[in-house]
Amino acid sequence: MINKSQRTKVIEKLLDFGVEIPCPDGVIIEENIKIGKGTLILPNTIILGKTEIGENCIIGPNSYISDTIIGNDTKLNNTQSFSSRIGSGVTTGPFVHIRPDCKIADNVHIGNFVEVKNSTVDEGSKLPHLLYVGDSDVGKDVNFGCGCVTVNYNGKNKFRTTVKDGAFIGCNTNLVA
């Protein structure tokens, strides 16, 4: 972690570059983080590691981003993301957990109380709320209903779940790989 004077220098540098941080109290951004112009960093946001954030994004409030590459025009509301890639035009949250090794394509919507682990979610797909998508490959323009789970573990082995382009999955569905 960085101390208060280092944190202040990092924030001042970002402000001079065109990043907006309206309330820097509680915002922690490590040195060498790349953030594009016009991006808004909201209170209680922590950005660490080898993170890169595109232009015109909104990150926070209450987000924790580590080792994640984020495209342009993406909005992460109360989201935790670790060692993943998130495309442009993505919206998440609140209360989203993107675990390591995820690839979230452009224009994906991930709603409240969703966890994504070691998965690829292709363009335009919607994971609206109360979902677990783990060890999965989700195609383009897929829509999950509320309460869906990809079941990837049988007690001994893990398997990948594949959901093809355009699928519509109803509420409270368990997809067994």
Side-chain angles (χ1 to χ4, degrees), residues 10-31:
V10 169
I11 289 173
E12 286 174 357
K13 181 180 165 188
L14 289 168
L15 290 170
D16 289 343
F17 183 70
V19 175
E20 298 177 49
I21 307 172
C23 184
D25 291 345
V27 171
I28 298 171
I29 303 172
E30 281 187 330
E31 291 184 79

Side-chain angles (χ1 to χ4, degrees), residues 46-63:
I46 299 171
I47 305 171
L48 308 173
K50 296 178 182 175
T51 295
E52 296 179 22
I53 300 171
E55 295 181 349
N56 302 311
C57 294
I58 300 174
I59 309 298
N62 307 314
S63 292

Side-chain angles (χ1 to χ4, degrees), residues 136-151:
S136 299
D137 297 305
V138 176
K140 292 180 182 177
D141 299 314
V142 171
N143 187 63
F144 281 84
C146 176
C148 292
V149 175
T150 59
V151 182

Side-chain angles (χ1 to χ4, degrees), residues 4-134:
K4 184 177 179 178
S5 66
Q6 289 172 311
R7 184 175 71 84
T8 301
K9 287 179 188 175
V10 169
I11 289 173
E12 286 174 357
K13 181 180 165 188
L14 289 168
L15 290 170
D16 289 343
F17 183 70
V19 175
E20 298 177 49
I21 307 172
C23 184
D25 291 345
V27 171
I28 298 171
I29 303 172
E30 281 187 330
E31 291 184 79
N32 303 318
I33 300 292
K34 296 177 184 173
I35 302 176
K37 291 181 182 180
T39 289
L40 174 64
I41 306 297
L42 293 171
N44 300 318
T45 294
I46 299 171
I47 305 171
L48 308 173
K50 296 178 182 175
T51 295
E52 296 179 22
I53 300 171
E55 295 181 349
N56 302 311
C57 294
I58 300 174
I59 309 298
N62 307 314
S63 292
Y64 188 104
I65 311 298
S66 178
D67 299 314
T68 298
I69 308 298
I70 300 168
N72 298 321
D73 303 304
T74 290
K75 298 175 183 171
L76 306 182
N77 176 10
N78 204 329
T79 297
Q80 294 190 358
S81 179
F82 303 90
S83 303
S84 292
R85 290 184 168 272
I86 300 172
S88 295
V90 173
T91 58
T92 70
F95 309 110
V96 170
H97 189 178
I98 300 172
R99 291 172 55 188
D101 301 317
C102 289
K103 293 180 185 86
I104 310 298
D106 295 344
N107 303 310
V108 168
H109 170 71
I110 301 175
N112 51 327
F113 302 102
V114 174
E115 181 176 356
V116 184
K117 174 198 155 258
N118 186 29
S119 294
T120 300
V121 180
D122 212 339
E123 292 180 28
S125 288
K126 294 175 179 58
L127 288 65
H129 49 277
L130 301 168
L131 302 170
Y132 172 75
V133 176

